[in-house]
Amino acid sequence: MTSAVEQNLVEGNRAYSSTFKDGHLALPPSQKYAVVTCMDARIDPAAAFSIPLGAAHVIRNAGGSVREAFRSLVISQQLLGTTDVLIIKHTGCGMLTFDNSTARGIVAKNKGEDAAKEVEELDFLPFPQLEQAVKDDVEWLKAKNIEEGIRVSGWVYEVETGKVRKVE
């Protein structure tokens, strides 16, 4: 039996593909940049950051962590030629609401001790201060120095207003 979520996917894709005309786009992003941002469902990166189809790599994960996105960023830069990285975290992020010990405790409570052992060493990469987390990720990525000349900048997206602001 097909779930409502799967049905939405099929119907939405049918409508999208019926007018799709961008199959000719090249594999490397045309504007040569990557965006690392949060997986939060309130963020629509293409709309909020004015990213046309085929222009940029958009890498999403919990908290918009560059540490978690690092493998993808290496591929983006080394194999596909991106030269800029925009790190965009956001207000109201869930990663501001817990620490590793709390997350592990929730797993133990919900799934039992066997499951808790599976995440015992996992760093959930939470952060207590938004702007400092942006600065830390920018510094961490710059220190990796994977490719000369890569520009890295940090930003905060305000989910309340839809605006972005640069973090210096």
Side-chain angles (χ1 to χ4, degrees):
M1 185 168 148
T2 304
S3 72
V5 172
E6 292 170 326
Q7 189 61 35
N8 184 61
L9 169 78
V10 170
E11 290 173 9
N13 179 256
R14 186 177 299 120
Y16 176 78
S17 64
S18 71
T19 61
F20 185 74
K21 305 232 184 296
D22 292 317
H24 65 282
L25 294 174
L27 175 61
S30 64
Q31 294 181 16
K32 299 188 179 300
Y33 71 100
V35 173
V36 178
T37 194
C38 189
M39 65 185 194
D40 192 300
R42 297 171 292 177
I43 303 170
D44 179 352
F49 313 139
S50 189
I51 305 171
L53 189 63
H57 290 146
V58 177
I59 304 162
R60 299 183 74 168
N61 62 52
S65 168
V66 295
R67 289 167 179 82
E68 187 172 319
F70 188 61
R71 179 186 67 89
S72 296
L73 286 169
V74 170
I75 292 167
S76 178
Q77 292 170 11
Q78 296 297 306
L79 279 67
L80 297 165
T82 56
T83 58
D84 285 82
V85 178
L86 305 175
I87 301 166
I88 308 173
K89 296 186 184 288
H90 69 93
T91 57
C93 185
M95 302 305 282
L96 291 160
T97 66
F98 66 90
D99 59 19
N100 279 324
S101 151
T102 302
R104 291 184 190 112
I106 290 169
V107 171
K109 179 182 174 196
N110 292 342
K111 302 304 281 179
E113 288 305 315
D114 287 342
K117 287 178 187 170
E118 294 296 321
V119 298
E120 200 169 62
E121 301 300 318
L122 181 64
D123 185 351
F124 289 92
L125 303 170
F127 46 86
Q129 296 178 348
L130 180 59
E131 290 201 11
Q132 188 59 52
V134 173
K135 290 176 186 177
D136 291 347
D137 270 10
V138 167
E139 289 172 20
W140 186 90
L141 189 57
K142 285 181 175 179
K144 289 297 180 186
N145 197 24
I146 295 303
E147 182 68 38
E148 298 261 338
I150 298 294
R151 290 174 297 275
V152 179
S153 61
W155 301 80
V156 169
Y157 172 74
E158 298 173 352
V159 296
E160 303 84 2
T161 66
K163 295 179 181 178
V164 293
R165 57 184 159 80
K166 192 169 188 179
V167 176
E168 300 293 343

